[in-house]
Amino acid sequence: MKALVYKSTGSWYTVKDQAGRTYNARMKGIFKIDGITSTNPVAVGDEVDIETESEIENTAVINEILPRRNYVNRQSPRHKYQHHIIAANLDQSVLFATLKEPRTSQGFIDRFLVACEMYHVTAAIVFNKADLYRKKEMQIFEDRKKMYNDVGYKVLLTSVEKGEGLEELKLALKDKVTLLSGHSGVGKSTFINAIFPELQLRTKEVSGWSGKGMHTTTFAEMFDLPFGGKIIDTPGIREFGITDIDKEELSHYFPEMRQLLHDCQFNNCIHINEPGCAVKYAAEHGKIAMERYISYYNILESINERPY
Ligand SMILES: Nc1nc2c(ncn2[C@@H]2O[C@H](COP(=O)(O)OP(=O)(O)O)[C@@H](O)[C@H]2O)c(=O)[nH]1
Ligand SMILES: [Mg+2]
Ligand SMILES: [Zn+2]
């Protein structure tokens, strides 16, 4: 029978069948998907085919992983050519960011958006901890909101602590499968606790002087939202990766650049020093945001040419 994977703890998976019954399931045999060996072949959000093993102990065996609509990856830190699948079958990913305590960098946000474009997952940004923002941060928020809205991304402002902006956020999550992303300490667990008071995921104080949050949980987990939809919390995973990409490909993942590519003089333009570059011209003339162009440049620099 069919079931959905809610949690992965390494070799055991928490799955739920269509009747809403939960099992502890494990895999039989070795799985290879799309020719890649994955360090954890079954991911949260996966649809699987299971067989009950023990009715009394609520255990099951996973026979098959059904085809994925999409998935997001992270390169295994130890093995460059192994990928760690974070989650599958997503409708969108929401990035929690903050402008204070801690401040999420522009570069991090843009890397997240590029990754979402690569994986064909809709992206939205939530700026949390609004209660801490003063005039300066509010101005930055308004600037960012306009910049990202212009490119086509939804931007929300919340204070999970004060309960502000939550209705709009819930509306954005309703009836969708959402991957929650963002640095540690930005309020993801606090938000999930606010939706499910009975859950009480552990949250931790942002430790004083360093301003850095601490990881309190280790495994990704999916929750059914009481108002419809599902949310996946990914503790300990800071970002999903921009993997296996050519320099020439990067601008395809910036929507505002994508629409200018045909206007560049060279079709393999990487928009740095080439003559007749429409992207660079647009950045210099305020048609695309200079901040985004700088992020583009920084990501481009981080892409290693593949050794052929
Ligand atoms: N001032 C303020 N603090 C918040 C807000 N949301 C969360 N926090 C605090 O930020 C810290 C980290 O939150 P947590 O939910 O653990 O972050 P996570 O690592 O993203 O899951 C905790 O001390 C929270 O109480 C908010 O809207 N305003
Ligand atoms: Mg957390
Ligand atoms: Zn160009």
Side-chain angles (χ1 to χ4, degrees), residues 150-212:
D150 285 350
V151 187
Y153 300 113
K154 183 178 278 184
V155 175
L156 300 177
L157 181 68
T158 61
S159 166
V160 175
E161 197 130 294
K162 296 271 190 290
E164 286 161 12
L166 296 188
E167 287 313 310
E168 206 186 345
L169 178 51
K170 285 181 190 174
L171 204 62
L173 301 178
K174 190 173 157 29
D175 299 331
K176 294 190 171 127
V177 179
T178 304
L179 176 73
L180 207 54
S181 306
H183 278 310
S184 188
V186 293
K188 300 184 295 297
S189 299
T190 310
F191 173 62
I192 289 184
N193 287 339
I195 314 181
F196 308 97
E198 71 282 3
L199 238 157
Q200 289 314 322
L201 291 190
R202 286 180 303 152
T203 53
K204 217 169 197 173
E205 290 295 317
V206 174
S207 52
W209 60 271
S210 78
K212 285 215 169 74

Side-chain angles (χ1 to χ4, degrees), residues 20-232:
R21 182 169 169 184
T22 300
Y23 297 86
N24 282 318
R26 59 193 175 81
M27 293 183 305
K28 243 184 180 167
I30 294 168
F31 285 77
K32 265 200 168 183
I33 299 154
D34 301 337
I36 53 169
T37 332
S38 170
T39 47
N40 71 331
V42 181
V44 170
D46 261 334
E47 273 194 300
V48 290
D49 182 68
I50 61 163
E51 212 171 292
T52 311
E53 203 176 40
S54 159
E55 287 285 351
I56 301 155
E57 290 173 42
N58 254 336
T59 54
V61 169
I62 298 172
N63 289 322
E64 194 189 348
I65 304 168
L66 301 181
R68 293 174 173 140
R69 274 191 289 132
N70 59 24
Y71 60 86
V72 299
N73 251 339
R74 180 172 67 112
Q75 227 170 50
S76 164
R78 280 155 179 255
H79 309 280
K80 205 165 170 242
Y81 297 103
Q82 279 189 352
H83 293 260
H84 176 96
I85 297 162
I86 300 170
N89 301 321
L90 303 168
D91 293 314
Q92 61 180 356
S93 182
V94 166
L95 180 73
F96 260 58
T98 44
L99 293 175
K100 223 174 171 180
E101 296 184 25
R103 176 160 180 180
T104 308
S105 76
Q106 174 78 30
F108 181 79
I109 295 174
D110 288 326
R111 288 187 79 89
F112 163 83
L113 295 173
V114 166
C116 287
E117 295 286 336
M118 286 179 64
Y119 293 109
H120 305 289
V121 174
T122 305
I125 309 162
V126 172
F127 285 96
N128 186 37
K129 306 201 183 185
D131 54 292
L132 300 177
Y133 300 176
R134 307 180 75 162
K135 215 173 164 185
K136 186 183 92 187
E137 287 82 16
M138 279 312 296
Q139 187 57 54
I140 297 172
F141 167 76
E142 293 299 338
D143 292 348
R144 295 286 182 269
K145 182 178 161 74
K146 184 177 184 321
M147 179 172 91
Y148 288 121
N149 283 168
D150 285 350
V151 187
Y153 300 113
K154 183 178 278 184
V155 175
L156 300 177
L157 181 68
T158 61
S159 166
V160 175
E161 197 130 294
K162 296 271 190 290
E164 286 161 12
L166 296 188
E167 287 313 310
E168 206 186 345
L169 178 51
K170 285 181 190 174
L171 204 62
L173 301 178
K174 190 173 157 29
D175 299 331
K176 294 190 171 127
V177 179
T178 304
L179 176 73
L180 207 54
S181 306
H183 278 310
S184 188
V186 293
K188 300 184 295 297
S189 299
T190 310
F191 173 62
I192 289 184
N193 287 339
I195 314 181
F196 308 97
E198 71 282 3
L199 238 157
Q200 289 314 322
L201 291 190
R202 286 180 303 152
T203 53
K204 217 169 197 173
E205 290 295 317
V206 174
S207 52
W209 60 271
S210 78
K212 285 215 169 74
M214 312 267 283
H215 298 314
T216 46
T217 32
T218 342
F219 300 109
E221 184 162 13
M222 186 161 75
F223 304 97
D224 290 320
L225 294 166
F227 45 84
K230 295 175 168 57
I231 195 161
I232 301 173

Side-chain angles (χ1 to χ4, degrees), residues 263-266 269 274-279:
D263 300 331
C264 288
Q265 190 176 328
F266 298 103
C269 189
E274 294 90 340
C277 173
V279 170

